[in-house]
Amino acid sequence: MIGGGQLARMTHQAAIALGQTLRVLATSSDEAAAQVSPDVVLGSHTDLDALRRAAQGVTVLTFDHEHVPTEHLERLIAEGVNVAPPPSALIHAQDKLVMRRRLEALGAPVPRYAAVASVDDVEAFAREVGGPVVIKTVRGGYDGRGVVMASSVDEARDVVARYLDDGVAVMVEERVAMRRELAALVARSPFGQGAAWPVVETVQRDGICVTVLAPAPGLSETLGSAASELALRLASELGVVGVLAVELFETVSGELMVNELAMRPHNSGHWTMDGARTSQFEQHLRAVLDYPLGDTSPTAPFTVMGNVLGAAETPVMSMDERVHHLFARMPDAKVHLYGKQERPGRKIGHVNLAGTDAEVLRERAERAAHWLSHAQWTDGWDPHA
């Protein structure tokens, strides 16, 4: 697996149960996955020689992130390496403009968009849509980075000018009037078998996912089925092998619109570790190894995931003690920590809670996640009172 972050770390956990060894290409020995995998290659994902060392003798090469240069992957394939997903698919998760154009050609619902070569292009587009616009870097953005919600045409011009002056390719989209954000997570094997988990609601703060509710509360069966069918069709049309996350907008008029694609395990699927019969990490391995795919049915009416994000100031209380107190209050909480140093806003873990009431679970999951990041109970609970 190229990349040594938390996705590789959790994929490694799934690999153990399948009798597999996950080799990780990490940039340093203290990365999340490098801490736990017995087979670590140190190097950069942009270094062809490092990629070759990581690929030496492996059954399949797959990804913790999408940032590996396409030309390197094509070279590896020419040298006989099995790459999954293949670069012809992965490009649609690497390049937002390529993705928008392909999805539009496939008839998938996407926001109105335009390539940007000058500040005049963004001004013309804003006039055309007659509303607020979003500026996106074509490559490299994630967790809100590389995405700017422009409040005016003047701001949009300024943002585009700064990016273009720095040599960064950008595009512009209309800002969608949405009710909420959804994610449809599916998997596809080389044989063409597909499987879909229930569609989830993702809650964002400052461009970072903070909570996932599975399945999305109040989502009609018609819209949920349409989202899953769209994701499965895109996986097939794009030639995806492995997990595909399709991030969606549910518009105020009750329609679906594709926002982003990810071709790897995804934050919106962490709930599957404790709320589905087959986790996204096991399923990704099954898919890239061309095993029959696993059962994706949920094991509880609802599962809610809360992301643990680093606090502005790291608490004096150790993480071990925070986990101790959380378990004392919420013995049903499932905690997954990534072995990362705490930094403001950084994803350092997540908490899953399963049950029958989505709103109660959401409140508890968000409270648990806040406790783990801040060592403070949002309701003032005192275990000694």
Side-chain angles (χ1 to χ4, degrees):
M1 190 167 241
I2 304 305
Q6 65 263 27
L7 300 179
R9 182 184 177 105
M10 290 181 278
T11 303
H12 170 71
Q13 292 175 260
I16 293 170
L18 297 181
Q20 300 289 334
T21 298
L22 186 76
R23 178 181 298 158
V24 174
L25 177 65
T27 56
S28 67
S29 58
D30 63 352
E31 282 196 78
Q35 295 173 22
V36 297
S37 175
D39 193 354
V40 180
V41 173
L42 295 180
S44 170
H45 61 273
T46 61
D47 181 343
L48 180 57
D49 287 336
L51 292 167
R52 283 180 171 135
R53 283 187 283 120
Q56 184 67 39
V58 302
T59 305
V60 61
L61 189 78
T62 190
F63 307 96
D64 167 277
H65 60 73
E66 292 98 345
H67 307 310
V68 183
T70 302
E71 60 270 20
H72 289 356
L73 297 178
E74 289 172 343
R75 178 71 66 83
L76 292 175
I77 289 174
E79 294 171 1
V81 178
N82 177 20
V83 177
S88 57
L90 192 64
I91 186 66
H92 300 94
Q94 295 174 318
D95 188 306
K96 294 180 177 64
L97 195 54
V98 169
M99 179 263 291
R100 282 282 179 260
R101 287 169 172 162
R102 183 68 188 282
L103 295 189
E104 186 176 44
L106 292 173
V110 295
R112 286 177 290 177
Y113 69 94
V116 173
S118 70
V119 291
D120 293 337
D121 291 337
V122 73
E123 186 171 343
F125 180 81
R127 284 198 305 268
E128 179 186 336
V129 300
V133 299
V134 181
I135 312 300
K136 292 183 176 182
T137 56
V138 171
R139 284 178 173 260
Y142 66 99
D143 283 349
R145 298 176 180 87
V147 177
V148 179
M149 305 281 191
S151 58
S152 66
V153 174
D154 287 341
E155 183 186 1
R157 286 178 62 95
D158 291 343
V159 170
V160 167
R162 287 198 301 272
Y163 275 128
L164 293 181
D165 286 345
D166 291 337
V168 177
V170 293
M171 59 182 289
V172 62
E173 293 183 353
E174 66 176 324
R175 192 184 305 182
V176 175
M178 65 174 179
R179 180 183 168 217
R180 58 179 171 175
E181 294 191 54
L182 305 172
L185 197 72
V186 300
R188 181 177 178 272
S189 73
F191 181 70
Q193 184 187 11
W197 287 271
V199 175
V200 304
E201 177 179 351
T202 64
V203 180
Q204 318 288 322
R205 186 183 304 135
D206 298 326
I208 300 176
C209 178
V210 293
T211 310
V212 173
L213 297 89
L219 184 67
S220 71
E221 185 176 342
T222 300
L223 206 59
S225 295
S228 293
E229 289 167 10
L230 173 63
L232 287 167
R233 180 169 74 87
L234 292 180
S236 177
E237 294 277 7
L238 300 178
V240 174
V241 175
V243 166
L244 169 69
V246 181
E247 298 178 28
L248 298 156
F249 297 132
E250 181 184 358
T251 69
V252 292
S253 58
E255 298 172 327
L256 296 172
M257 204 163 280
V258 178
N259 180 27
E260 304 282 359
L261 301 179
M263 295 183 192
R264 51 171 170 76
H266 191 252
N267 199 186
S268 68
H270 290 352
W271 70 274
T272 63
M273 298 176 77
D274 302 297
R277 297 195 183 279
T278 306
S279 79
Q280 66 164 341
F281 300 102
E282 178 184 338
Q283 193 80 301
H284 186 73
L285 288 172
R286 288 196 189 206
V288 301
L289 292 168
D290 206 8
Y291 291 164
L293 300 182
D295 183 355
T296 54
S297 59
T299 55
F302 290 99
T303 302
V304 176
M305 182 217 72
N307 268 331
V308 182
L309 305 175
E313 293 186 12
T314 301
V316 174
M317 183 185 294
S318 71
M319 180 59 78
D320 180 66
E321 189 173 355
R322 283 174 258 166
V323 171
H324 179 104
H325 284 289
L326 175 64
F327 285 160
R329 185 177 186 186
M330 300 184 188
D332 58 330
K334 297 294 186 180
V335 174
H336 302 272
L337 298 175
Y338 307 153
K340 289 183 169 184
Q341 292 295 314
E342 296 180 57
R343 291 205 301 260
R346 189 185 201 189
K347 292 176 184 174
I348 57 175
H350 69 270
V351 181
N352 287 332
L353 286 161
T356 58
D357 189 314
E359 278 307 309
V360 170
L361 290 170
R362 176 178 180 174
E363 182 181 4
R364 295 180 69 224
E366 291 179 350
R367 181 170 294 146
H370 188 275
W371 165 258
L372 287 177
S373 60
H374 292 75
Q376 296 172 348
W377 292 111
T378 54
D379 60 352
W381 186 73
D382 180 358
H384 304 296

Coordinates of all heavy atoms in Angstrom, one line a residue, residues 348-380:
I348 N -6.8 12.2 14.5 CA -5.9 11.3 15.3 C -6.6 10.0 15.7 O -6.0 9.1 16.3 CB -5.4 12.0 16.5 CG1 -6.5 12.6 17.4 CG2 -4.4 13.1 16.1 CD1 -6.1 13.2 18.7
G349 N -7.9 9.9 15.3 CA -8.7 8.7 15.7 C -10.1 8.9 15.4 O -10.6 9.9 14.9
H350 N -10.9 7.8 15.7 CA -12.4 7.9 15.6 C -13.0 7.0 16.6 O -12.4 6.1 17.1 CB -12.9 7.7 14.2 CG -12.7 6.3 13.7 ND1 -11.6 5.8 13.0 CD2 -13.6 5.2 13.8 CE1 -11.8 4.5 12.7 NE2 -13.0 4.1 13.2
V351 N -14.3 7.3 16.9 CA -15.1 6.5 17.8 C -16.4 6.1 17.1 O -17.0 6.9 16.4 CB -15.5 7.4 19.0 CG1 -16.3 6.5 20.0 CG2 -14.3 7.9 19.7
N352 N -16.7 4.8 17.2 CA -18.0 4.3 16.7 C -18.9 3.9 17.8 O -18.5 3.3 18.8 CB -17.7 3.0 15.8 CG -17.0 3.4 14.5 OD1 -17.2 4.5 13.9 ND2 -16.3 2.4 13.9
L353 N -20.2 4.2 17.6 CA -21.2 3.8 18.5 C -22.4 3.2 17.7 O -22.8 3.9 16.7 CB -21.7 4.9 19.4 CG -20.7 5.4 20.5 CD1 -21.0 6.7 21.0 CD2 -20.8 4.4 21.7
A354 N -22.9 2.1 18.1 CA -24.1 1.5 17.4 C -25.3 1.4 18.3 O -25.2 1.2 19.5 CB -23.7 0.1 16.9
G355 N -26.5 1.5 17.7 CA -27.7 1.4 18.4 C -28.9 1.6 17.6 O -28.9 1.4 16.4
T356 N -30.0 2.1 18.2 CA -31.3 2.2 17.5 C -31.7 3.7 17.2 O -32.6 3.9 16.4 CB -32.4 1.5 18.3 OG1 -32.5 2.1 19.6 CG2 -32.1 0.0 18.5
D357 N -31.1 4.6 17.9 CA -31.6 6.0 17.8 C -30.4 6.9 17.2 O -29.4 7.1 17.9 CB -32.0 6.6 19.1 CG -32.7 7.9 19.0 OD1 -32.1 8.8 18.3 OD2 -33.7 8.1 19.7
A358 N -30.5 7.3 16.0 CA -29.4 8.0 15.3 C -29.0 9.3 16.0 O -27.9 9.6 16.2 CB -29.8 8.3 13.9
E359 N -30.0 10.1 16.5 CA -29.7 11.4 17.1 C -29.0 11.2 18.5 O -28.1 11.9 18.8 CB -31.0 12.2 17.3 CG -31.4 12.9 16.0 CD -30.2 13.8 15.5 OE1 -29.6 14.6 16.2 OE2 -29.9 13.6 14.3
V360 N -29.5 10.2 19.3 CA -28.8 9.9 20.5 C -27.4 9.4 20.3 O -26.4 9.8 21.0 CB -29.6 8.8 21.3 CG1 -28.8 8.3 22.5 CG2 -30.9 9.4 21.8
L361 N -27.2 8.6 19.3 CA -25.9 8.1 19.0 C -25.0 9.2 18.5 O -23.8 9.3 18.8 CB -25.9 7.0 17.9 CG -26.6 5.7 18.3 CD1 -26.8 4.8 17.1 CD2 -25.7 4.9 19.3
R362 N -25.5 10.1 17.7 CA -24.7 11.2 17.2 C -24.2 12.1 18.4 O -23.1 12.5 18.5 CB -25.6 12.1 16.3 CG -24.8 13.3 15.8 CD -25.6 14.2 14.8 NE -24.9 15.3 14.4 CZ -25.2 16.2 13.4 NH1 -26.4 15.9 12.8 NH2 -24.5 17.2 13.1
E363 N -25.1 12.4 19.3 CA -24.8 13.2 20.5 C -23.7 12.5 21.3 O -22.7 13.1 21.7 CB -26.0 13.5 21.3 CG -25.7 14.3 22.6 CD -26.9 14.5 23.4 OE1 -28.0 14.0 23.1 OE2 -26.8 15.3 24.4
R364 N -23.8 11.2 21.5 CA -22.8 10.5 22.3 C -21.5 10.4 21.5 O -20.4 10.5 22.1 CB -23.4 9.1 22.6 CG -24.6 9.0 23.5 CD -25.0 7.6 23.8 NE -24.1 6.9 24.6 CZ -23.7 5.7 24.4 NH1 -24.1 5.0 23.3 NH2 -22.8 5.1 25.2
A365 N -21.5 10.1 20.2 CA -20.3 10.0 19.4 C -19.5 11.3 19.4 O -18.3 11.3 19.5 CB -20.6 9.5 18.0
E366 N -20.2 12.4 19.2 CA -19.6 13.7 19.1 C -19.0 14.0 20.5 O -17.9 14.6 20.6 CB -20.5 14.7 18.6 CG -20.8 14.5 17.1 CD -21.8 15.6 16.6 OE1 -22.4 16.3 17.4 OE2 -22.0 15.6 15.3
R367 N -19.7 13.7 21.6 CA -19.3 14.0 22.9 C -18.0 13.1 23.2 O -17.1 13.6 23.8 CB -20.4 13.7 23.9 CG -20.0 13.9 25.4 CD -21.2 13.8 26.3 NE -22.1 14.9 26.0 CZ -23.4 14.8 26.1 NH1 -24.0 13.7 26.4 NH2 -24.2 15.9 25.8
A368 N -18.1 11.9 22.8 CA -16.9 11.0 23.0 C -15.7 11.5 22.3 O -14.6 11.5 22.8 CB -17.2 9.6 22.6
A369 N -15.9 11.9 21.0 CA -14.8 12.4 20.2 C -14.2 13.6 20.8 O -12.9 13.8 20.8 CB -15.2 12.6 18.8
H370 N -15.0 14.5 21.3 CA -14.6 15.8 21.9 C -13.8 15.5 23.2 O -12.8 16.1 23.4 CB -15.8 16.7 22.2 CG -15.4 18.1 22.6 ND1 -15.1 18.4 23.9 CD2 -15.2 19.2 21.9 CE1 -14.7 19.7 24.0 NE2 -14.8 20.2 22.8
W371 N -14.3 14.5 23.9 CA -13.5 14.2 25.2 C -12.1 13.7 24.8 O -11.2 14.1 25.5 CB -14.3 13.1 26.0 CG -13.5 12.4 27.0 CD1 -12.9 11.2 26.9 CD2 -13.0 13.0 28.2 NE1 -12.1 11.0 28.1 CE2 -12.2 12.1 28.9 CE3 -13.3 14.2 28.9 CZ2 -11.6 12.3 30.1 CZ3 -12.7 14.5 30.1 CH2 -11.9 13.5 30.7
L372 N -12.0 12.8 23.8 CA -10.7 12.2 23.5 C -9.8 13.3 23.0 O -8.6 13.2 23.2 CB -10.9 11.1 22.5 CG -11.5 9.8 23.0 CD1 -11.7 8.8 21.9 CD2 -10.6 9.2 24.1
S373 N -10.3 14.3 22.3 CA -9.4 15.4 21.8 C -9.1 16.5 22.8 O -8.0 17.0 22.7 CB -10.0 15.9 20.5 OG -11.2 16.5 20.7
H374 N -10.1 16.8 23.7 CA -9.9 17.9 24.5 C -9.8 17.6 26.0 O -9.5 18.5 26.8 CB -11.2 18.9 24.4 CG -11.2 19.6 23.0 ND1 -11.6 18.9 21.9 CD2 -10.9 20.8 22.7 CE1 -11.6 19.8 20.9 NE2 -11.2 20.9 21.3
A375 N -10.1 16.3 26.4 CA -10.2 15.9 27.8 C -11.2 16.8 28.6 O -11.0 17.1 29.7 CB -8.8 16.0 28.5
Q376 N -12.3 17.1 27.9 CA -13.4 17.9 28.5 C -14.7 17.3 28.0 O -14.9 17.1 26.8 CB -13.4 19.4 28.0 CG -12.1 20.1 28.5 CD -12.0 21.5 27.9 OE1 -12.8 21.9 26.9 NE2 -11.2 22.4 28.4
W377 N -15.6 17.1 29.0 CA -17.0 16.6 28.6 C -17.8 17.8 28.3 O -17.9 18.8 29.0 CB -17.6 15.9 29.8 CG -16.9 14.5 30.1 CD1 -16.2 14.2 31.2 CD2 -17.0 13.4 29.3 NE1 -15.8 12.9 31.1 CE2 -16.2 12.4 30.0 CE3 -17.6 13.1 28.1 CZ2 -16.1 11.1 29.4 CZ3 -17.4 11.8 27.5 CH2 -16.6 10.8 28.2
T378 N -18.5 17.8 27.1 CA -19.2 18.9 26.7 C -20.5 19.2 27.5 O -21.0 20.3 27.5 CB -19.7 18.7 25.2 OG1 -20.4 17.5 25.1 CG2 -18.5 18.7 24.3
D379 N -20.9 18.2 28.3 CA -22.1 18.4 29.2 C -21.7 18.6 30.6 O -22.5 18.6 31.5 CB -23.0 17.2 29.1 CG -22.4 15.9 29.5 OD1 -21.1 15.8 29.7 OD2 -23.1 14.9 29.6
G380 N -20.3 18.8 30.9 CA -19.9 19.0 32.2 C -19.9 17.8 33.1 O -19.7 18.0 34.4

